[in-house]
Amino acid sequence: MDKIIEQTDIDRVDGIQKVTGTAKYSAEYDFPGMVYGVLATSNITKGIINAIDTKAAENAPGVLAVITHLNCPELPGYKSTPEQDKLVPTKKGYKVFADNIIRFNGQPIAIVVADTFERATHAASLIKANYTKEKHNTDFDEAIKSGTPLEGNNFKEYVRGEANAWINAPVKIEAEYTMPIEVHLPMEIHGITVVWDGEDKVTLYEKTQSLSGTQRNIVRTFGLKEENVRIITQFIGGAFGSAFNTWPHSMAALIAGRKVGKPIKLMLTRNQMFNLVGYRPEAKQKLGLGASADGKLMGITHEAIAMTASYNEFTEGIVNGSRSLYECPNVNTTYKVFPLDLSQPTWMRGPGETTGAFALESAMDELAYALKMDPIEFRLKNYAETDLERKKPYSSKYLKECYELGAEKINWKERNPEPRSMKEGDWLIGYGTGSGIFSAWRGAAKAVAKLLPDGTMILQSGVTDMGPGTATAMTNLAAETMGLSHTKISFEMGDTNLPPGPMQGGSGTTSTLGTAVFAACENMKKKLAAMIKDNAVFHTEIVHEVKVEDLVFENGYMMLKTDKTKKISYAEVIKSAGLSELEISEDSKGNPMLNHSAFSYAVHFVKVKVHSKTGVIKIDRAVSAVDAGKIINNKTAESQIIGAVVGGIGMSLMEEGVIDHRYGRWVNNNFADYHVAVNADVPNIEVLFVDKPDPVLNPIGAKGMGEVGIVGFAAAVTNAIFHATGKRIREIPVTADKLI
Amino acid sequence: MDKNLKKEGRRDFLKKSTALAALTIATPAIIKAGENDERIAALFEKIPLNLEVNGVVHSLSVEPRVTLLDLLREQLHLTGTKKGCDYGQCGACTVHVDGKRINSCLTLAVMNEGKKITTIEGLADGDNLHPMQNAFIKQDGFQCGYCTPGQIMSGIACINEGHANSREEVQEYMSGNICRCGAYPNIVDAVMQVKKEGSNHD
């Protein structure tokens, strides 16, 4: 890319809206006659509803409707085909109000619609159900002991070279690592506003990371035409993976809104956020690692066990990182999933890899100590120059640079490698490291660029932004590519009426949408150049017909490379052509990456302090060095890594979903009892980018960074705790009681 | 609340009490407790409330059970104040009442009779942002923006309370505002910037 003007680090383009409170999230729209939906939920975990008494709720003041499985309208998407009937329960899914079966505690059994939020909330409390209870199991340990894991293609064993080769290595370790349920808990409670126009046309304001996915689900469920389902998502108050699915509460609001024929708003409660919009599944992992005496890996065996809901087969790549992060001839992995009587898990930031890297990177540290080798040196010794799993070269890999940058920043060399050897008063000091890997990819996306006669540009794409700053990055990219001040560019998004953009997630939005925006700008420049090729402004003795390569594009002008005084503004070109706008529509294809493997990398370094008497743990410093390809906007990119690290602090030290297995109910489903990192828990976080473009994945050189910033972080913390205390804690979160 | 009831007047209150008694006597067994509760609530539904929000005086009639947060968001359509938990655990709903920060989800609207409320919408002077708003943009003190109004209201109060003398102190006094995107270091930078500039005001 021709860099014409330096324009990185622009402030967020939606900053003013966010700091003034004018940014609108999904439950913040107002329409005349707005009504409120509130869910009533089951208080048993498994069984059937025999009867449900809604009379009191229906008679309560202001109540317009109560919908349960008994009066839920028949929906096209609720009818199952004979093939679907034959599926195992974990492939069947669950549809709200479709039947009388209770699959998890807190499952919606009714939606109450009333004219005020308070009246709806009160009426929902009046609903009484009579159940026949069945024996439930929400206990992961119990399921592993006596249950049956799911079967199918997602659970095939992977073997490269010889299985379990680590056992015969001269230096080896075997250890089991456990982690609990973690919950996304974005600050914006999932909410939706639904406005039906008759029975067949609907507009909804929904918290979704995928406009087209949500549109598709609603089209299918309600049997509507695609053009009659409009989704608007202007702002998302965080999601981290919780907003891909079209969840039961959204369907309930749609059903209820159509029934009462009024605009309806529904916001979950914070308690409901724990079991109605997914979570990261609990996992147990066993790692066997063996190396030669000089530290060459000879075998990796990674066995992971996780859980899912009885009605939904959720799988993720927990063991995938172990196949490709290091050069090792013998690798085998297994992955088992047990169904439980809980609500369904879903993707959560760095899905799979984050869980897997906690185990792999802890085991790598354990083996480094067994080898009496420096943990970084050990990793460098086993550096993978090619992807041995896929037998392909990497599109780009600057993991080595990440090790070097991070180690230097935290002064890794100065640490005394001996565990429990460093102290500051009563505090034990420890340094630890952990690495992360996450797939980089590029999908298909459409984007439109419009240049207007006043010299401003509008970009459009149906993408949503949960916080990373997609609109900012795209504005930044377009400004640089077009040679136009970012203040003259606006980015319109968050609406299915716009050209379909990619989903927001999977660390692929910038790569995918950036490709379309870049191409639209490049084609815009070609078009502009073609429009003025004969313009007398550019004529010199030798130039009579200018080509795009003869021009520079700068500050809204096309200038002759050889003589910048010869110039014409974009605005002038549009105006003199008599156009109301010049539009470029770009339909960019995905990159299947047939000949390369693409990953982003991160290496985390952590300094912890552990109080020798109380076991209190403080993260004193965190340094994360990241290879995410070219950085489009340093400011927002840095924030994204800081945010991922903060998530990692919560994961390693605090976050733990607790369920009372006697009743199958959540114990700590609120912010007072489920601890997330708060301001005082977080040190200064130093972020370093390699910032080298990937030459293969896309023309802008960006890989992805949303996920990789949390992958491997928990291991960096537990490894630092080991270094500080000499105690190896293999169960996160590491709380003080585990250290004393 | 007391203040409010006094204002309502003895006669009104007696009228309602009589009706309430009549209701409970007339329908002893037929009406279930829940329905009864709701009818009782309905009797007290129109409690007058006068309060000033961002310099605008509102004379309202609100149900006693409506929180200040829901009053702002659902009735006054000031949705800049966010609902992040509704239990006083996250700080997203922080507003200033008579200059002091509170969680608006933990106070009933009717408890704020005669009080001055400032929300995020009341900070800027036209297009001129409050210095704390500018600092949040400059320091990138947010990602998704949902906790941001609460953080900004808390940040202003943190300085006014005299609790911004060091990064550590700011971290401590800003810990009632959860940011799940994890913008904490930048939030501290923003508060420290405003403290340093000496530009903070209500």
Side-chain angles (χ1 to χ4, degrees):
Chain A
M1 183 167 80
D2 238 5
K3 199 154 191 176
I4 299 148
I5 41 172
E6 281 292 336
Q7 227 171 344
T8 51
D9 288 9
I10 65 168
D11 291 335
R12 283 176 196 268
V13 296
D14 50 10
I16 291 176
Q17 287 162 288
K18 285 177 177 172
V19 301
T20 53
T22 52
K24 285 233 180 273
Y25 299 81
S26 294
E28 297 179 347
Y29 291 85
D30 183 41
F31 294 97
M34 180 76 87
V35 296
Y36 293 79
V38 169
L39 298 174
T41 57
S42 78
N43 50 22
I44 69 158
T45 300
K46 190 178 181 184
I48 50 171
I49 307 171
N50 297 321
I52 185 159
D53 181 4
T54 58
K55 201 163 278 170
E58 280 160 8
N59 290 336
V63 171
L64 300 165
V66 179
I67 296 160
T68 69
H69 68 282
L70 294 171
N71 63 346
C72 179
E74 279 203 22
L75 298 170
Y78 275 23
K79 287 182 200 127
S80 59
T81 62
E83 288 79 44
Q84 283 167 330
D85 287 337
K86 278 183 234 150
L87 294 171
V88 293
T90 46
K91 298 264 190 198
K92 273 186 185 158
Y94 145 67
K95 296 177 178 76
V96 70
F97 309 143
D99 55 39
N100 64 347
I101 301 168
I102 298 298
R103 296 159 174 89
F104 60 93
N105 210 310
Q107 177 184 317
I109 56 169
I111 179 170
V112 176
V113 184
D115 57 351
T116 72
F117 168 66
E118 292 76 16
R119 286 173 149 182
T121 302
H122 177 72
S125 75
L126 303 176
I127 289 175
K128 299 279 176 278
N130 175 286
Y131 304 97
T132 298
K133 281 190 202 172
E134 289 168 30
K135 193 173 176 292
H136 66 260
N137 180 35
T138 56
D139 185 347
F140 186 39
D141 290 329
E142 185 55 44
I144 296 170
K145 236 187 289 167
S146 56
T148 314
L150 303 181
E151 289 172 9
N153 283 339
N154 289 328
F155 309 103
K156 278 186 184 158
E157 191 177 358
Y158 169 83
V159 183
R160 176 165 88 226
E162 188 194 326
N164 304 321
W166 68 274
I167 293 170
N168 302 317
V171 186
K172 61 195 172 186
I173 61 111
E174 188 185 30
E176 193 176 290
Y177 305 90
T178 64
M179 56 171 288
I181 283 179
E182 273 185 14
V183 195
H184 309 71
L185 302 178
M187 292 316 295
E188 182 202 12
I189 298 173
H190 277 242
I192 184 170
T193 304
V194 179
V195 186
W196 282 94
D197 177 7
E199 294 265 301
D200 303 317
K201 200 173 173 195
V202 68
T203 300
L204 54 151
Y205 301 81
E206 165 72 315
K207 176 171 182 143
T208 176
Q209 291 172 250
S210 172
L211 287 170
S212 50
T214 301
Q215 186 186 41
R216 207 163 39 240
N217 290 339
I218 290 164
V219 162
R220 228 184 269 151
T221 302
F222 289 85
L224 303 173
K225 288 183 188 154
E226 192 181 288
E227 63 266 29
N228 286 345
V229 178
R230 182 178 179 193
I231 326 276
I232 296 172
T233 309
Q234 288 299 313
F235 288 92
I236 301 175
F240 318 108
S242 69
F244 282 114
N245 302 51
T246 309
W247 295 108
H249 72 272
S250 300
M251 289 301 181
L254 278 152
I255 292 166
R258 186 154 75 167
K259 172 127 182 180
V260 300
K262 284 173 186 281
I264 182 170
K265 185 191 285 194
L266 184 150
M267 207 172 182
L268 292 180
T269 63
R270 180 52 68 184
N271 296 24
Q272 290 169 341
M273 289 288 289
F274 285 76
N275 68 346
L276 289 180
V277 291
Y279 54 87
R280 193 197 298 282
E282 189 173 356
K284 285 185 192 300
Q285 304 175 72
K286 203 188 260 182
L287 259 289
L289 245 58
S292 61
D294 65 345
K296 272 306 277 176
L297 277 170
M298 294 169 69
I300 299 175
T301 298
H302 188 167
E303 298 167 300
I305 307 174
M307 38 75 62
T308 189
S310 63
Y311 59 89
N312 175 272
E313 179 181 307
F314 176 74
T315 61
E316 55 183 358
I318 295 179
V319 294
N320 295 6
S322 295
R323 300 172 188 163
S324 56
L325 188 54
Y326 297 108
E327 187 178 74
C328 182
N330 305 303
V331 178
N332 60 309
T333 65
T334 63
Y335 175 51
K336 284 181 191 163
V337 169
F338 288 87
L340 293 174
D341 297 313
L342 287 170
S343 64
Q344 72 179 84
T346 192
W347 303 281
M348 179 168 162
R349 198 168 205 169
E353 269 78 356
T354 302
T355 304
F358 160 58
L360 175 67
E361 289 296 280
S362 297
M364 284 294 284
D365 200 67
E366 297 205 35
L367 188 54
Y369 274 97
L371 285 158
K372 298 192 168 46
M373 253 179 111
D374 178 89
I376 292 293
E377 198 189 312
F378 176 45
R379 285 170 172 84
L380 287 168
K381 180 118 189 172
N382 294 286
Y383 196 79
E385 297 289 356
T386 57
D387 180 353
L388 291 180
E389 184 190 1
R390 293 163 194 84
K391 298 184 179 63
K392 287 179 192 174
Y394 294 111
S395 57
S396 66
K397 180 173 181 177
Y398 299 106
L399 176 58
K400 216 172 251 175
E401 286 77 352
C402 293
Y403 291 128
E404 285 160 11
L405 284 170
E408 198 190 313
K409 187 82 182 172
I410 203 152
N411 215 357
W412 182 257
K413 270 189 301 191
E414 295 303 311
R415 74 167 200 153
N416 180 345
E418 191 61 35
R420 216 183 168 93
S421 63
M422 300 178 77
K423 287 191 178 83
E424 284 176 17
D426 281 344
W427 296 88
L428 305 169
I429 306 297
Y431 289 83
T433 186
S435 333
I437 180 170
F438 202 85
S439 287
W441 56 278
R442 180 183 123 200
K446 287 185 183 174
V448 163
K450 292 176 184 178
L451 202 51
L452 305 181
D454 62 358
T456 61
M457 191 162 95
I458 298 169
L459 293 168
Q460 296 177 321
S461 186
V463 66
T464 62
D465 183 357
M466 62 179 159
T470 298
T472 306
M474 291 307 120
T475 303
N476 223 141
L477 178 66
E480 286 184 25
T481 314
M482 275 306 294
L484 192 62
S485 164
H486 66 89
T487 57
K488 300 207 165 182
I489 299 172
S490 56
F491 185 79
E492 296 175 358
M493 59 166 196
D495 190 335
T496 46
N497 279 1
L498 296 169
M503 65 174 184
Q504 165 94 156
S507 293
T509 311
T510 301
S511 164
T512 299
L513 185 57
T515 300
V517 167
F518 177 76
C521 291
E522 287 294 312
N523 287 335
M524 178 74 80
K525 290 197 291 191
K526 279 184 202 151
K527 191 104 179 225
L528 285 169
M531 286 165 75
I532 51 91
K533 66 180 164 56
D534 301 323
N535 197 302
V537 169
F538 296 107
H539 283 186
T540 66
E541 281 179 25
I542 48 165
V543 178
H544 299 289
E545 190 183 306
V546 287
K547 298 190 183 68
V548 70
E549 43 286 9
D550 300 325
L551 298 166
V552 288
F553 292 78
E554 211 172 287
N555 294 330
Y557 286 88
M558 285 181 276
M559 303 169 177
L560 202 59
K561 251 182 203 163
T562 51
D563 179 1
K564 284 193 176 179
T565 62
K566 295 182 184 301
K567 61 178 185 180
I568 184 166
S569 72
Y570 309 159
E572 187 58 36
V573 180
I574 312 282
K575 261 185 276 181
S576 54
L579 297 173
S580 61
E581 62 182 32
L582 180 60
E583 181 179 311
I584 301 286
S585 182
E586 196 57 50
D587 188 353
S588 79
K589 303 274 175 291
N591 184 348
M593 297 293 280
L594 299 173
N595 303 314
H596 293 86
S597 278
F599 293 95
S600 289
Y601 299 91
V603 181
H604 307 287
F605 292 86
V606 170
K607 180 189 172 195
V608 297
K609 289 167 128 180
V610 181
H611 197 274
S612 56
K613 294 188 177 67
T614 63
V616 164
I617 307 157
K618 281 187 190 168
I619 310 268
D620 195 54
R621 269 187 90 185
V623 173
S624 294
V626 178
D627 166 24
K630 184 188 150 55
I631 304 303
I632 305 297
N633 179 302
N634 269 290
K635 198 169 190 172
T636 53
E638 194 183 299
S639 290
Q640 212 176 344
I641 298 298
I642 290 173
V645 166
V646 171
I649 293 173
M651 176 182 175
S652 49
L653 300 181
M654 299 152 203
E655 297 186 38
E656 181 174 15
V658 180
I659 287 150
D660 184 334
H661 301 306
R662 293 171 301 172
Y663 308 107
R665 280 180 89 82
W666 270 81
V667 173
N668 61 342
N669 50 348
N670 61 76
F671 275 133
D673 297 317
Y674 181 101
H675 291 184
V676 300
V678 299
N679 207 320
D681 297 317
V682 175
N684 187 30
I685 295 164
E686 295 154 273
V687 179
L688 306 159
F689 291 117
V690 178
D691 198 11
K692 286 190 180 161
D694 183 295
V696 181
L697 186 63
N698 57 51
I700 61 172
K703 293 200 273 192
M705 62 168 60
E707 333 269 346
V708 79
I710 191 172
V711 183
F713 189 84
V717 174
T718 54
N719 295 341
I721 290 170
F722 172 73
H723 180 230
T725 64
K727 284 184 187 164
R728 183 65 72 177
I729 310 296
R730 301 187 180 90
E731 181 189 5
I732 50 171
V734 186
T735 43
D737 57 295
K738 292 174 186 166
L739 288 170
I740 50 172
Chain B
M1 187 93 136
D2 293 339
K3 205 165 141 198
N4 192 44
L5 279 175
K6 269 180 223 147
K7 280 196 85 149
E8 195 193 7
R10 200 177 141 74
R11 186 162 297 175
D12 270 5
F13 186 76
L14 283 176
K15 233 195 272 172
K16 280 176 186 169
S17 305
T18 316
L20 179 61
L23 177 79
T24 43
I25 294 159
T27 54
I30 320 157
I31 300 171
K32 284 177 191 161
E35 290 173 63
N36 229 341
D37 289 350
E38 194 61 11
R39 291 195 185 183
I40 294 162
L43 283 172
F44 286 96
E45 213 161 355
K46 298 290 172 189
I47 284 191
L49 172 66
N50 297 296
L51 78 182
E52 189 182 314
V53 182
N54 301 329
V56 179
V57 177
H58 294 269
S59 292
L60 305 159
S61 291
V62 298
E63 283 187 68
R65 61 183 165 182
V66 174
T67 64
L68 178 59
L69 172 62
D70 286 324
L71 176 79
L72 292 169
R73 283 174 66 85
E74 305 303 334
Q75 296 185 40
L76 302 181
H77 306 299
L78 293 168
T79 53
T81 304
K82 304 302 183 194
K83 187 181 276 190
C85 70
D86 223 8
Y87 312 129
Q89 297 169 345
C90 78
C93 66
T94 305
V95 299
H96 294 177
V97 175
D98 290 340
K100 292 205 171 116
R101 56 171 159 172
I102 62 152
N103 288 329
S104 61
C105 73
L106 284 190
T107 178
L108 295 171
V110 293
M111 292 160 71
N112 293 280
E113 172 69 29
K115 293 185 177 164
K116 284 186 185 173
I117 319 286
T118 307
T119 72
I120 191 75
E121 289 94 343
L123 288 183
D125 179 11
D127 287 343
N128 290 327
L129 298 183
H130 184 284
M132 191 64 77
Q133 292 174 313
N134 275 323
F136 265 71
I137 294 177
K138 176 143 186 277
Q139 303 295 345
D140 211 34
F142 52 88
Q143 287 191 48
C144 79
Y146 197 79
C147 75
T148 312
Q151 301 278 0
I152 289 173
M153 300 312 287
S154 257
I156 294 168
C158 180
I159 297 177
N160 286 342
E161 292 159 10
H163 292 144
N165 299 304
S166 65
R167 286 190 73 86
E168 291 69 30
E169 199 182 13
V170 169
Q171 282 189 271
E172 199 61 38
Y173 281 88
M174 290 297 288
S175 279
N177 290 79
I178 299 176
C179 168
R180 193 62 166 151
C181 297
Y184 299 127
N186 298 356
I187 290 167
V188 179
D189 287 343
V191 176
M192 292 305 284
Q193 180 193 317
V194 176
K195 165 76 179 170
K196 205 175 144 198
E197 290 168 354
S199 57
N200 196 42
H201 60 80
D202 287 346

